Amino acid sequence: MTDLRSTLATTGPIDLAAHPSDATPGFTGTKRDAKRLLPEIGARLMDLQELLFANGRAGTTDRKVLLLLQGMDTSGKGGTLRHVAGLVDPQGLAITAFKAPTDEEREHDFLWRIGRRLPEPGMIGVFDRSQYEDVLIGRVRELAPADEIEQRYEQINAFEREFTGGGGVLLKCFLHISPDDQRERLAERLEDPTKFWKYNPADLDERSLWPQYQQAYEIVLERCSTEYAPWHVVPAGRKWYRNWAIATMLGETLAELGLDWPAADFDVEEQKRRLATM
Amino acid sequence: MTDLRSTLATTGPIDLAAHPSDATPGFTGTKRDAKRLLPEIGARLMDLQELLFANGRAGTTDRKVLLLLQGMDTSGKGGTLRHVAGLVDPQGLAITAFKAPTDEEREHDFLWRIGRRLPEPGMIGVFDRSQYEDVLIGRVRELAPADEIEQRYEQINAFEREFTGGGGVLLKCFLHISPDDQRERLAERLEDPTKFWKYNPADLDERSLWPQYQQAYEIVLERCSTEYAPWHVVPAGRKWYRNWAIATMLGETLAELGLDWPAADFDVEEQKRRLATM
């Protein structure tokens, strides 16, 4: 049986324009079906996450999972956090939303701030934006010399190889939308006063560079989709599919860890006897 | 109409032994009613939290909320995180579980590590244990000289006055269980291999000091329940009541902030025109 991760994983050169954003690979039902399935997937995620968390607390695992979300403005990184990350126990989650680097962060290598936010054993980390910003906006806006940008792809690969070599699992998701999807969503934000706070005039400046960003993403997907940390292209024009797909892949990732409940590191019967006397 | 916070708030001397842990103050329904109500409360919490978060992002508020949980082992701090904090958008949550202080933390004043984990504007912080450990285990185990412990109550009050003076709201909850509740829950952990990881033989050493801990809590509740940061005694013998009560009080706290959606800090019509051309 193929899992969804292998269906959505990308290898080699990719032409994003040829990927419809409203596709629903691996899912045959309706929107209603997907919405109905989500709480079931959530219950399973909660159980699997508790197993990971328990092992982290017991010190019996070095495993940790990092869900990394990238995508254009309005692609639904926040919605994924709310609807997918929101399915699990917040105690076991470590969410980081990366913004423009601070002065302190700028004094270090671009991976410094990323390394500090990697999840601990037993935890599920979620990155809302990530190290890839430094080869996306970094490349499009020429925020560093071209040769420095070029070197970053391999630096990122080496960084991810180290993370996955140390018990980490990376689930990298590119939330793929079309320019029309974005226009529609930006327009919604401008029509609804409860959404003004999500809107930033600078979003249109970025939008004007759509082809450049798509190209920068294509380079990322080609150079940084590795065996140990593949990229997944998640069609995100339909929010219900995006949520279903990411929740499903997160479930596959957690299940594959194959963890068991940590054994007692104390004498259970002795403890029962002691408790009975108190 | 009285809200639940004022029902559960405590002032002056308190005798915890006189408070039944299976009481359900402010709630008249059944367990089933409480469980059915929780998702409704959750939907409202989600909306109110988004309003707070939106203002935080827009930079239009200094408000933040801190839910502080204290209680004996098995009193349900973790369960509250899972079932109550889990109701809201994890993006807007900042959870800290305080453990025994690290060497670095020990080099500073006991409030140093606490101050670093206070929520930012727009966020809901949750403390699983807190500054109060330093007058609970700190007092019972004599981890500092008696006169130093004595001074901490006022230091905590001053610290909390500063936090609330700067736009913070503190919701302090003591999860109150009886020794029998604890015996039952520890016994459950010892019967169920999926719960061994939650059990620590040291829990029984603490249990053997139950009266000392209750007294230490009584002192905390008397000295540190202030007008600006009252303590709430939440009967936690029934998990469904505990969840309902804390979710309800969190909702009251968020509603009282009286926030509106942030206004646009850009010209909406101009942005619509620009978007239409792209």
Side-chain angles (χ1 to χ4, degrees):
Chain A
M1 208 181 103
T2 337
D3 72 2
L4 188 62
R5 285 172 302 169
S6 53
T7 303
L8 298 182
T10 180
T11 46
I14 182 167
D15 174 13
L16 285 173
H19 282 252
S21 68
D22 62 352
T24 60
F27 191 77
T28 47
T30 63
K31 173 177 178 173
R32 207 175 141 178
D33 295 331
K35 288 196 159 192
R36 204 174 36 211
L37 275 169
L38 207 56
E40 283 173 37
I41 302 174
R44 187 168 148 72
L45 282 180
M46 188 80 108
D47 289 344
L48 288 166
Q49 179 207 21
E50 192 181 13
L51 206 48
L52 175 61
F53 188 74
N55 279 279
R57 277 286 171 93
T60 49
T61 191
D62 65 350
R63 309 312 304 269
K64 48 247 172 187
V65 170
L66 176 58
L67 170 64
L68 186 156
L69 303 173
Q70 282 286 161
M72 300 294 286
D73 285 327
T74 76
S75 63
K77 299 181 290 291
T80 303
L81 279 162
R82 186 175 174 128
H83 296 288
V84 180
L87 293 171
V88 302
D89 185 342
Q91 281 178 97
L93 273 184
I95 297 174
T96 306
F98 289 99
K99 315 280 180 197
T102 62
D103 288 343
E104 190 197 8
E105 288 169 351
R106 259 183 253 275
E107 282 171 21
H108 295 82
D109 177 84
F110 76 103
L111 290 169
W112 178 76
R113 65 174 187 158
I114 309 295
R116 301 175 79 210
R117 308 298 297 185
L118 290 174
E120 298 291 316
M123 297 291 287
I124 299 178
V126 187
F127 282 0
D128 172 356
R129 303 182 186 274
S130 67
Q131 60 268 31
Y132 287 98
E133 289 298 315
D134 294 280
V135 286
L136 291 164
I137 191 169
R139 184 182 187 97
V140 173
R141 293 287 188 180
E142 299 177 356
L143 301 179
D147 61 331
E148 202 177 310
I149 302 271
E150 280 307 307
Q151 288 168 16
R152 287 181 181 168
Y153 299 95
E154 266 316 306
Q155 289 170 343
I156 288 173
N157 287 342
F159 177 84
E160 295 181 356
R161 198 181 307 115
E162 193 183 332
F163 176 68
T164 54
V169 187
L170 249 168
L171 180 60
K172 301 191 294 196
C173 297
F174 168 59
L175 309 187
H176 176 50
I177 56 170
S178 70
D180 286 346
D181 293 328
Q182 192 188 56
R183 181 188 297 108
E184 201 177 296
R185 292 175 186 183
L186 288 173
E188 273 169 30
R189 293 182 181 180
L190 288 169
E191 285 303 331
D192 181 351
T194 74
K195 293 184 176 171
F196 287 167
W197 66 278
K198 296 186 183 187
Y199 186 90
N200 185 334
D203 295 348
L204 292 193
D205 301 333
E206 297 305 297
R207 176 173 170 79
S208 71
L209 298 168
W210 189 276
Q212 289 90 325
Y213 273 105
Q214 294 299 295
Q215 195 197 12
Y217 269 112
E218 286 170 352
I219 298 170
V220 159
L221 296 172
E222 182 175 350
R223 296 201 197 163
C224 297
S225 193
T226 57
E227 213 168 304
Y228 46 88
W231 267 105
H232 304 87
V233 176
V234 181
R238 300 177 197 251
K239 295 174 185 173
W240 57 265
Y241 173 77
R242 174 202 75 205
N243 291 340
W244 173 83
I246 297 175
T248 298
M249 291 193 293
L250 185 58
E252 290 170 355
T253 304
L254 289 168
E256 206 175 60
L257 299 177
L259 295 170
D260 283 321
W261 292 104
D265 58 358
F266 47 85
D267 182 331
V268 177
E269 295 309 318
E270 184 191 318
Q271 293 298 317
K272 283 186 193 172
R273 283 193 298 274
R274 188 175 171 208
L275 176 61
T277 67
M278 298 175 75
Chain B
M1 208 180 103
T2 337
D3 72 3
L4 188 63
R5 285 172 302 169
S6 53
T7 302
L8 298 183
T10 179
T11 47
I14 183 167
D15 173 13
L16 284 173
H19 282 252
S21 69
D22 62 351
T24 60
F27 192 76
T28 47
T30 61
K31 173 177 178 174
R32 205 175 142 178
D33 294 332
K35 288 197 158 191
R36 204 173 37 210
L37 273 169
L38 207 56
E40 283 174 37
I41 301 173
R44 187 167 148 72
L45 281 180
M46 188 79 110
D47 288 345
L48 288 165
Q49 180 207 22
E50 192 181 12
L51 206 48
L52 175 60
F53 188 74
N55 278 279
R57 278 286 171 94
T60 49
T61 192
D62 65 351
R63 309 313 303 271
K64 49 247 172 189
V65 170
L66 176 57
L67 170 64
L68 186 156
L69 304 174
Q70 282 286 161
M72 300 295 285
D73 285 325
T74 76
S75 63
K77 300 182 289 292
T80 303
L81 279 162
R82 187 174 173 129
H83 295 289
V84 180
L87 293 170
V88 303
D89 185 341
Q91 282 178 96
L93 274 185
I95 298 174
T96 306
F98 289 99
K99 316 280 179 197
T102 62
D103 287 344
E104 190 197 7
E105 288 168 351
R106 260 184 253 274
E107 282 172 20
H108 295 83
D109 178 85
F110 77 103
L111 290 169
W112 178 75
R113 64 175 188 159
I114 310 294
R116 301 174 80 210
R117 307 299 299 185
L118 290 173
E120 298 291 315
M123 296 293 285
I124 300 178
V126 186
F127 281 1
D128 172 355
R129 305 184 186 271
S130 66
Q131 60 269 27
Y132 288 98
E133 289 297 315
D134 295 281
V135 286
L136 291 164
I137 191 170
R139 184 183 187 96
V140 172
R141 294 285 188 181
E142 299 178 355
L143 301 179
D147 61 332
E148 201 176 311
I149 303 269
E150 280 307 308
Q151 288 168 16
R152 287 181 180 169
Y153 300 95
E154 266 315 306
Q155 289 170 343
I156 289 173
N157 287 342
F159 178 83
E160 295 181 356
R161 199 182 306 114
E162 193 183 330
F163 176 67
T164 55
V169 187
L170 248 169
L171 180 60
K172 300 191 294 197
C173 297
F174 168 59
L175 310 188
H176 176 50
I177 56 170
S178 70
D180 287 345
D181 293 328
Q182 193 189 54
R183 181 188 297 108
E184 200 177 298
R185 292 176 186 182
L186 288 173
E188 274 170 29
R189 292 182 181 179
L190 288 169
E191 286 302 331
D192 181 350
T194 74
K195 291 184 177 173
F196 286 167
W197 66 279
K198 296 185 184 188
Y199 186 89
N200 185 334
D203 295 349
L204 292 193
D205 300 333
E206 298 305 296
R207 178 174 169 79
S208 70
L209 299 168
W210 189 277
Q212 290 90 323
Y213 273 105
Q214 295 298 295
Q215 194 196 13
Y217 269 111
E218 287 170 353
I219 297 170
V220 159
L221 295 172
E222 181 174 350
R223 295 200 198 163
C224 298
S225 192
T226 57
E227 213 169 304
Y228 47 88
W231 267 105
H232 304 86
V233 177
V234 181
R238 300 175 195 252
K239 295 175 184 173
W240 57 265
Y241 173 78
R242 175 202 74 204
N243 292 339
W244 172 84
I246 297 176
T248 297
M249 291 194 292
L250 185 57
E252 291 169 356
T253 303
L254 289 168
E256 206 176 61
L257 299 177
L259 294 169
D260 283 321
W261 293 104
D265 58 357
F266 48 83
D267 182 332
V268 176
E269 295 309 317
E270 185 191 317
Q271 293 297 318
K272 284 186 192 172
R273 283 193 299 273
R274 190 175 169 208
L275 176 61
T277 67
M278 296 174 76

